[in-house]
Amino acid sequence: MDEKRTIQMYGGIWGGLVPLFILIVGLIALSIAERGGTKPFWACAWLALTIGIFFARDKKSYCESAMHGIGDKNGIVIVTAWLFAGVFGKLMAEGGLVQGLLWMGMSTGAQEATFTFLVFLAAMIFSLGTGTSTGTCIALTPVLYPAGVYLGADPGLLGTAILSGAAFGDNLAPISDTTIVSAYTQGAEMKDVVRSRAPLSLTAAAFSGVIFLLFGGGGEIRVAPQMEATLDPSGIFMLLALVVVVVAALRGRHIIEALIYGNISAAVVGIAIGNISLGDIFSIPARAGASTGIIQNGVESVVGAIIFAILILAVTQILVDCGVMTRILNFAHEKLVHSVRQAELFIIGSTVLASIPISANAPAELLVGPSLVRPMGERFGLAPARRANLMDCAVCTIFFILPWHIAVAAWYGALVSAAQAWNIPAPSVASALYNPYSWCLLAVIVFSALTGWNRRYAEGYVPGTER
């Protein structure tokens, strides 16, 4: 974002903090009331922008700054990518990926802790394929949680296996909103981001898998033959579309191009296996106002996030142009950060702090990514992909354990509904606090920052020299 523009505020730096304060208070209030979500959050951002103008000495400059943030070139890429990622996720789900993963888990004969581990693996694959943590929890919990309870899994760890797998995909999938935001706010190539992030994400997943294998059993094994009716192995073939997206991204294709190829592949595979028809993808509805099909549904699924992201970009640009972010950076440079290790810990800490009050993690990245993470990382010569990875991993840690966050709320709601439908016990929402993947990922990135493992510098930068 352009930091040369300046806005003079009544009250100086404190006046500049008013929009951020109003935004955070509104987000916390809705989240505590369990009414959070990207659409309800529109009002918070709207109020922040509206009230903030009365603290600006030059109203025209204030409005131009907000428009400048909305028109940010990286924001345009993010919004466009979300449109295609939303359709891709819907195609994967309609193609029967849930049923295919259920078949994979139940046809192996696995029980107790082994089944808990397979649930974690299935959630990892589903979230990688759809790019949505919330969608993963909503889609998999109703079928995999009851199955696991009947097969002797520990209810608490079984539930967090789904949440952990959802966090993994949100962290690593090239079609995930957080991956897209982290890459493009840092000016990183998607291929570099995915390649260099994989060791971090997979290491955390490996430790989490050991936890599920060691402690995920101990329940009573019972029979639930009615679940057999939902088994359908054909949905596994939908993973071919995910392979197309990942390969295209790793070969350096633009994320939009990779997503288009993935959309086409998912449609072709879904039609070939008989789970999707052309009419399901697009058709003229029988009545006015009805959906035209999967494409419309996919776009609609990301509209809330897109509008909220646009409003967040406007608020963030105002914070930059009135000097708030510069003041924070200067304080960090003078008092807190004097080495690349401290810079990376600052990136991790500021991202985690931003994600706590905001119950959607991609907007948290938009808040700190361009204005704090990028300039701090550039000062110490960190490669764009490294900055993106630290920020994305950080936003997928504490975010997935706090109950007012969207993914956790959706996960627990689906968990309780499944438990009631099958008359089985549901763990407390406090079980999210023990989400293995979140804590393992936090440990991995802190270790990486402290030791320098997986650290990459910008091309031509000599470590030990500051910019």
Side-chain angles (χ1 to χ4, degrees):
M1 290 189 177
D2 185 359
E3 294 195 46
K4 296 180 181 179
R5 304 166 65 91
T6 57
I7 306 174
Q8 298 298 320
M9 305 290 287
Y10 293 112
I13 198 73
W14 299 108
L17 284 169
V18 167
L20 179 62
F21 176 77
I22 293 171
L23 174 67
I24 291 178
V25 168
L27 298 182
I28 292 175
L30 285 173
S31 298
I32 291 176
E34 298 183 355
R35 298 296 184 268
T38 51
K39 289 185 178 180
F41 290 161
W42 293 349
C44 301
W46 186 92
L47 287 170
L49 291 169
T50 301
I51 296 174
I53 196 172
F54 295 102
F55 288 82
R57 294 179 182 273
D58 186 342
K59 314 302 184 191
K60 180 179 179 182
S61 296
Y62 181 93
C63 294
E64 288 177 346
S65 180
M67 295 299 293
H68 182 65
I70 291 173
D72 180 75
K73 64 179 181 180
N74 289 322
I76 298 300
V77 175
I78 291 166
V79 166
T80 308
W82 280 358
L83 291 173
F84 286 96
V87 176
F88 182 80
K90 287 293 183 181
L91 284 167
M92 295 290 280
E94 293 295 327
L97 184 56
V98 173
Q99 290 74 21
L101 292 174
L102 180 62
W103 168 83
M104 181 189 74
M106 295 189 66
S107 62
T108 59
Q111 297 177 344
E112 300 189 66
T114 304
F115 189 80
T116 301
F117 172 78
L118 288 178
V119 168
F120 174 53
L121 181 63
M124 288 171 58
I125 296 172
F126 186 85
S127 58
L128 277 174
T130 60
T132 166
S133 56
T134 303
T136 298
C137 294
I138 292 173
L140 296 188
T141 301
V143 288
L144 292 184
Y145 180 73
V149 170
Y150 280 113
L151 291 173
D154 176 81
L157 277 177
L158 174 65
T160 57
I162 300 171
L163 186 60
S164 287
F168 173 85
D170 199 23
N171 179 215
L172 185 60
I175 60 171
S176 162
D177 55 356
T178 60
T179 303
I180 292 168
V181 171
S182 66
Y184 284 96
T185 57
Q186 302 307 306
E189 293 289 336
M190 186 61 70
K191 62 177 181 179
D192 297 332
V193 167
V194 174
R195 285 172 179 168
S196 57
R197 187 175 302 167
L200 300 170
S201 303
L202 291 173
T203 299
F207 283 113
S208 302
V210 171
I211 293 172
F212 290 124
L213 281 172
L214 291 177
F215 306 106
E220 179 185 355
I221 299 176
R222 290 175 283 174
V223 179
Q226 61 267 46
M227 288 184 177
E228 298 292 335
T230 62
L231 301 183
D232 182 4
S234 66
I236 289 293
F237 289 104
M238 294 301 296
L239 292 175
L240 293 172
L242 173 61
V243 173
V244 170
V245 174
V246 173
V247 170
L250 292 178
R251 290 178 64 86
R253 301 292 185 177
H254 193 282
I255 185 60
I256 306 299
E257 181 183 0
L259 285 170
I260 289 176
Y261 295 154
N263 276 254
I264 295 173
S265 301
V268 170
V269 173
I271 292 172
I273 62 179
N275 291 342
I276 298 176
S277 68
L278 285 174
D280 293 331
I281 298 172
F282 176 79
S283 63
I284 299 175
R287 56 184 178 81
S291 173
T292 59
I294 294 174
I295 296 175
Q296 178 181 331
N297 295 339
V299 172
E300 286 180 343
S301 71
V302 295
V303 167
I306 286 174
I307 294 178
F308 186 51
I310 288 173
L311 293 170
I312 287 289
L313 286 169
V315 172
T316 305
Q317 188 64 53
I318 290 169
L319 294 174
V320 170
D321 290 348
C322 70
V324 170
M325 294 306 191
T326 301
R327 183 73 66 88
I328 295 174
L329 279 171
N330 289 340
F331 174 80
H333 291 325
E334 294 173 5
K335 304 293 184 181
L336 302 175
V337 180
H338 305 288
S339 67
V340 67
R341 178 185 299 169
Q342 292 173 340
E344 292 196 336
L345 291 173
F346 173 82
I347 289 172
I348 294 169
S350 59
T351 305
V352 168
L353 286 174
S355 70
I356 290 174
I358 303 178
S359 68
N361 51 0
E365 290 184 320
L366 286 170
L367 187 64
V368 300
S371 54
L372 289 181
V373 173
R374 186 165 185 167
M376 177 62 75
E378 286 178 342
R379 182 191 177 197
F380 289 90
L382 292 174
R386 175 63 173 178
R387 302 192 305 263
N389 291 341
L390 289 173
M391 181 172 66
D392 193 285
C393 289
V395 87
C396 290
T397 57
I398 303 302
F399 178 85
F400 282 98
I401 72 172
L402 298 178
W404 59 79
H405 289 158
I406 292 175
V408 180
W411 162 79
Y412 193 66
L415 205 63
V416 171
S417 295
Q420 292 174 344
W422 291 85
N423 195 27
I424 54 178
S428 165
V429 69
S431 61
L433 297 174
Y434 308 105
N435 182 355
Y437 183 77
S438 291
W439 291 113
C440 288
L441 184 61
L442 182 60
V444 166
I445 58 172
V446 170
F447 173 83
S448 178
L450 292 174
T451 64
W453 171 61
N454 201 248
R455 182 180 294 151
R456 300 289 185 273
Y457 290 96
E459 186 176 353
Y461 181 80
V462 179
T465 60
E466 295 182 9
R467 292 183 175 178

mmCIF file of all heavy atoms in Angstrom, residues 440-456:
data_model
loop_
_atom_site.group_PDB
_atom_site.id
_atom_site.type_symbol
_atom_site.label_atom_id
_atom_site.label_comp_id
_atom_site.label_asym_id
_atom_site.label_seq_id
_atom_site.Cartn_x
_atom_site.Cartn_y
_atom_site.Cartn_z
ATOM 1 N N CYS A 440 0.708 -27.340 17.600
ATOM 2 C CA CYS A 440 1.901 -27.858 16.928
ATOM 3 C C CYS A 440 2.417 -26.858 15.896
ATOM 4 O O CYS A 440 3.629 -26.647 15.767
ATOM 5 C CB CYS A 440 1.593 -29.193 16.254
ATOM 6 S SG CYS A 440 1.360 -30.571 17.413
ATOM 7 N N LEU A 441 1.500 -26.230 15.144
ATOM 8 C CA LEU A 441 1.915 -25.254 14.141
ATOM 9 C C LEU A 441 2.556 -24.038 14.798
ATOM 10 O O LEU A 441 3.559 -23.511 14.300
ATOM 11 C CB LEU A 441 0.718 -24.837 13.296
ATOM 12 C CG LEU A 441 1.018 -23.881 12.128
ATOM 13 C CD1 LEU A 441 1.974 -24.523 11.132
ATOM 14 C CD2 LEU A 441 -0.274 -23.460 11.420
ATOM 15 N N LEU A 442 1.994 -23.584 15.923
ATOM 16 C CA LEU A 442 2.587 -22.454 16.632
ATOM 17 C C LEU A 442 3.998 -22.801 17.102
ATOM 18 O O LEU A 442 4.930 -21.991 16.969
ATOM 19 C CB LEU A 442 1.709 -22.071 17.821
ATOM 20 C CG LEU A 442 2.182 -20.860 18.644
ATOM 21 C CD1 LEU A 442 2.261 -19.614 17.778
ATOM 22 C CD2 LEU A 442 1.248 -20.627 19.835
ATOM 23 N N ALA A 443 4.175 -24.008 17.627
ATOM 24 C CA ALA A 443 5.504 -24.434 18.067
ATOM 25 C C ALA A 443 6.473 -24.510 16.903
ATOM 26 O O ALA A 443 7.645 -24.113 17.021
ATOM 27 C CB ALA A 443 5.401 -25.794 18.769
ATOM 28 N N VAL A 444 5.998 -24.993 15.764
ATOM 29 C CA VAL A 444 6.860 -25.134 14.589
ATOM 30 C C VAL A 444 7.342 -23.773 14.084
ATOM 31 O O VAL A 444 8.527 -23.590 13.790
ATOM 32 C CB VAL A 444 6.120 -25.901 13.472
ATOM 33 C CG1 VAL A 444 6.857 -25.760 12.135
ATOM 34 C CG2 VAL A 444 5.995 -27.371 13.832
ATOM 35 N N ILE A 445 6.441 -22.788 13.982
ATOM 36 C CA ILE A 445 6.865 -21.508 13.415
ATOM 37 C C ILE A 445 7.727 -20.721 14.403
ATOM 38 O O ILE A 445 8.636 -19.993 13.992
ATOM 39 C CB ILE A 445 5.672 -20.664 12.927
ATOM 40 C CG1 ILE A 445 4.679 -20.377 14.060
ATOM 41 C CG2 ILE A 445 4.994 -21.331 11.755
ATOM 42 C CD1 ILE A 445 3.594 -19.398 13.658
ATOM 43 N N VAL A 446 7.455 -20.858 15.699
ATOM 44 C CA VAL A 446 8.324 -20.204 16.689
ATOM 45 C C VAL A 446 9.717 -20.839 16.639
ATOM 46 O O VAL A 446 10.738 -20.138 16.673
ATOM 47 C CB VAL A 446 7.719 -20.303 18.102
ATOM 48 C CG1 VAL A 446 8.734 -19.848 19.153
ATOM 49 C CG2 VAL A 446 6.461 -19.451 18.187
ATOM 50 N N PHE A 447 9.772 -22.165 16.537
ATOM 51 C CA PHE A 447 11.054 -22.862 16.392
ATOM 52 C C PHE A 447 11.770 -22.398 15.125
ATOM 53 O O PHE A 447 12.984 -22.163 15.131
ATOM 54 C CB PHE A 447 10.816 -24.376 16.350
ATOM 55 C CG PHE A 447 12.047 -25.182 16.033
ATOM 56 C CD1 PHE A 447 12.954 -25.506 17.031
ATOM 57 C CD2 PHE A 447 12.294 -25.607 14.736
ATOM 58 C CE1 PHE A 447 14.096 -26.253 16.729
ATOM 59 C CE2 PHE A 447 13.425 -26.355 14.428
ATOM 60 C CZ PHE A 447 14.331 -26.682 15.432
ATOM 61 N N SER A 448 11.026 -22.271 14.045
ATOM 62 C CA SER A 448 11.609 -21.826 12.782
ATOM 63 C C SER A 448 12.191 -20.423 12.906
ATOM 64 O O SER A 448 13.278 -20.135 12.387
ATOM 65 C CB SER A 448 10.543 -21.862 11.681
ATOM 66 O OG SER A 448 11.057 -21.397 10.460
ATOM 67 N N ALA A 449 11.468 -19.533 13.591
ATOM 68 C CA ALA A 449 11.949 -18.166 13.772
ATOM 69 C C ALA A 449 13.186 -18.112 14.668
ATOM 70 O O ALA A 449 14.125 -17.348 14.405
ATOM 71 C CB ALA A 449 10.844 -17.286 14.354
ATOM 72 N N LEU A 450 13.206 -18.933 15.714
ATOM 73 C CA LEU A 450 14.318 -18.913 16.665
ATOM 74 C C LEU A 450 15.586 -19.530 16.086
ATOM 75 O O LEU A 450 16.696 -19.065 16.368
ATOM 76 C CB LEU A 450 13.929 -19.642 17.950
ATOM 77 C CG LEU A 450 12.856 -18.970 18.817
ATOM 78 C CD1 LEU A 450 12.469 -19.874 19.983
ATOM 79 C CD2 LEU A 450 13.331 -17.623 19.329
ATOM 80 N N THR A 451 15.421 -20.565 15.281
ATOM 81 C CA THR A 451 16.590 -21.305 14.772
ATOM 82 C C THR A 451 16.983 -20.914 13.357
ATOM 83 O O THR A 451 18.113 -21.189 12.932
ATOM 84 C CB THR A 451 16.320 -22.813 14.799
ATOM 85 O OG1 THR A 451 15.240 -23.126 13.905
ATOM 86 C CG2 THR A 451 15.967 -23.277 16.213
ATOM 87 N N GLY A 452 16.048 -20.311 12.609
ATOM 88 C CA GLY A 452 16.336 -19.985 11.215
ATOM 89 C C GLY A 452 16.009 -21.095 10.243
ATOM 90 O O GLY A 452 16.217 -20.953 9.031
ATOM 91 N N TRP A 453 15.454 -22.215 10.766
ATOM 92 C CA TRP A 453 15.069 -23.308 9.863
ATOM 93 C C TRP A 453 13.990 -22.829 8.899
ATOM 94 O O TRP A 453 13.034 -22.186 9.284
ATOM 95 C CB TRP A 453 14.547 -24.491 10.687
ATOM 96 C CG TRP A 453 13.939 -25.568 9.841
ATOM 97 C CD1 TRP A 453 14.563 -26.300 8.879
ATOM 98 C CD2 TRP A 453 12.581 -26.024 9.865
ATOM 99 N NE1 TRP A 453 13.680 -27.186 8.305
ATOM 100 C CE2 TRP A 453 12.455 -27.041 8.892
ATOM 101 C CE3 TRP A 453 11.465 -25.668 10.619
ATOM 102 C CZ2 TRP A 453 11.258 -27.707 8.658
ATOM 103 C CZ3 TRP A 453 10.271 -26.329 10.389
ATOM 104 C CH2 TRP A 453 10.168 -27.339 9.413
ATOM 105 N N ASN A 454 14.161 -23.156 7.629
ATOM 106 C CA ASN A 454 13.217 -22.814 6.565
ATOM 107 C C ASN A 454 13.211 -21.320 6.230
ATOM 108 O O ASN A 454 12.406 -20.867 5.430
ATOM 109 C CB ASN A 454 11.796 -23.267 6.935
ATOM 110 C CG ASN A 454 10.884 -23.416 5.729
ATOM 111 O OD1 ASN A 454 9.928 -22.665 5.551
ATOM 112 N ND2 ASN A 454 11.181 -24.378 4.874
ATOM 113 N N ARG A 455 14.111 -20.539 6.826
ATOM 114 C CA ARG A 455 14.168 -19.103 6.535
ATOM 115 C C ARG A 455 14.755 -18.879 5.148
ATOM 116 O O ARG A 455 15.712 -19.530 4.747
ATOM 117 C CB ARG A 455 15.002 -18.377 7.590
ATOM 118 C CG ARG A 455 15.092 -16.864 7.403
ATOM 119 C CD ARG A 455 15.936 -16.241 8.495
ATOM 120 N NE ARG A 455 15.290 -16.385 9.799
ATOM 121 C CZ ARG A 455 15.946 -16.470 10.947
ATOM 122 N NH1 ARG A 455 17.264 -16.464 10.965
ATOM 123 N NH2 ARG A 455 15.280 -16.595 12.084
ATOM 124 N N ARG A 456 14.162 -17.950 4.422
ATOM 125 C CA ARG A 456 14.655 -17.580 3.093
ATOM 126 C C ARG A 456 14.777 -16.062 3.016
ATOM 127 O O ARG A 456 13.923 -15.342 3.538
ATOM 128 C CB ARG A 456 13.701 -18.075 1.997
ATOM 129 C CG ARG A 456 13.504 -19.589 1.954
ATOM 130 C CD ARG A 456 14.750 -20.308 1.452
ATOM 131 N NE ARG A 456 14.502 -21.737 1.297
ATOM 132 C CZ ARG A 456 14.642 -22.637 2.267
ATOM 133 N NH1 ARG A 456 15.021 -22.235 3.480
ATOM 134 N NH2 ARG A 456 14.399 -23.912 2.051
#
